[in-house]
Amino acid sequence: MAQTKKKSEHYVNNKEFLAAMVEYRKSVNKAKRTKINKPPVPDYIGECFLKIANHLSYRPNFTFRDDMISDGIENCLQYLDNFNPEKSNNPFAYFTQIIYYAFIRRIQKEKKQITIKQRMIQESNYDDLALQPGEDREFKNQFTEFLKKNMPVDEPVKKKTT
């Protein structure tokens, strides 16, 4: 008896994906010729984008999963028309690269925001944060020490001169 391979629900078949992309591209070209609105992206292509983004987000070096997946799918939809089946027959690799770089950009944005938050806390006046009128100074000192001890200090952020 020959055993049949089970297809994982997370598996993207590159041949089927390519066929769907070719069919979609034909419908887009037909819409351009007849000057009607661009057709919606088929569900199968959207599912492929989602599967690729979800699976890629499980890598251990990616942390902001939901935002990254959203950014990746958005970029795939944005650059969907740039895929040319005449030049490449591997849409899986093409869109995986798009999603990967969208993930990298999201991580850079989040790191920048974290750095800004840390700098704001470091440069803020702790008296305003911790002490209400008539409160104990000892509490303020404990709070200040706690923040200094538990806040990771990265290399100093260079101020831009424009």
Side-chain angles (χ1 to χ4, degrees):
M1 280 187 126
Q3 291 182 349
T4 58
K5 271 188 172 179
K6 287 185 180 179
K7 285 187 178 180
S8 170
E9 63 184 47
H10 302 291
Y11 177 75
V12 174
N13 186 334
N14 202 30
K15 290 179 183 178
E16 291 175 12
F17 192 21
L18 178 62
M21 290 297 299
V22 168
E23 194 63 35
Y24 177 71
R25 189 169 176 95
K26 285 179 186 176
S27 64
V28 168
N29 289 339
K30 182 179 177 184
K32 283 181 183 177
R33 282 193 308 270
T34 57
K35 296 182 181 178
I36 59 174
N37 289 338
K38 193 164 99 171
V41 178
D43 288 342
Y44 180 74
I45 292 176
E47 288 173 12
C48 289
F49 293 159
L50 185 60
K51 287 177 184 179
I52 293 169
N54 272 327
H55 188 69
L56 190 60
S57 72
Y58 288 130
R59 291 182 58 182
N61 55 337
F62 294 140
T63 52
F64 309 100
R65 281 194 71 223
D66 294 334
D67 292 333
M68 290 188 327
I69 290 170
S70 299
D71 289 348
I73 293 171
E74 180 184 358
N75 283 6
C76 285
L77 292 172
Q78 185 177 359
Y79 297 112
L80 179 65
D81 294 334
N82 291 353
F83 178 75
N84 188 353
E86 296 167 3
K87 291 184 180 179
S88 171
N89 61 355
N90 195 349
F92 178 80
Y94 179 79
F95 290 108
T96 300
Q97 283 297 107
I98 289 174
I99 292 170
Y100 177 78
Y101 285 110
F103 285 8
I104 299 299
R105 283 189 299 275
R106 170 56 63 179
I107 290 172
Q108 289 171 345
K109 286 179 191 175
E110 294 293 337
K111 281 185 179 179
K112 185 176 181 181
Q113 288 299 316
I114 289 171
T115 303
I116 290 169
K117 288 177 189 175
Q118 288 176 346
R119 188 176 345 134
M120 286 178 61
I121 290 173
Q122 287 174 343
E123 293 176 0
S124 68
N125 186 354
Y126 292 115
D127 288 336
D128 295 339
L129 288 174
L131 216 54
Q132 296 296 322
E135 284 188 338
D136 187 8
R137 280 259 179 239
E138 185 177 322
F139 171 74
K140 181 222 148 234
N141 292 337
Q142 290 173 352
F143 180 70
T144 304
E145 292 302 318
F146 172 79
L147 284 176
K148 286 179 181 176
K149 206 183 307 179
N150 292 315
M151 186 183 323
V153 178
D154 294 334
E155 54 187 68
V157 179
K158 296 175 184 170
K159 294 184 180 180
K160 293 182 179 178
T161 56
T162 50

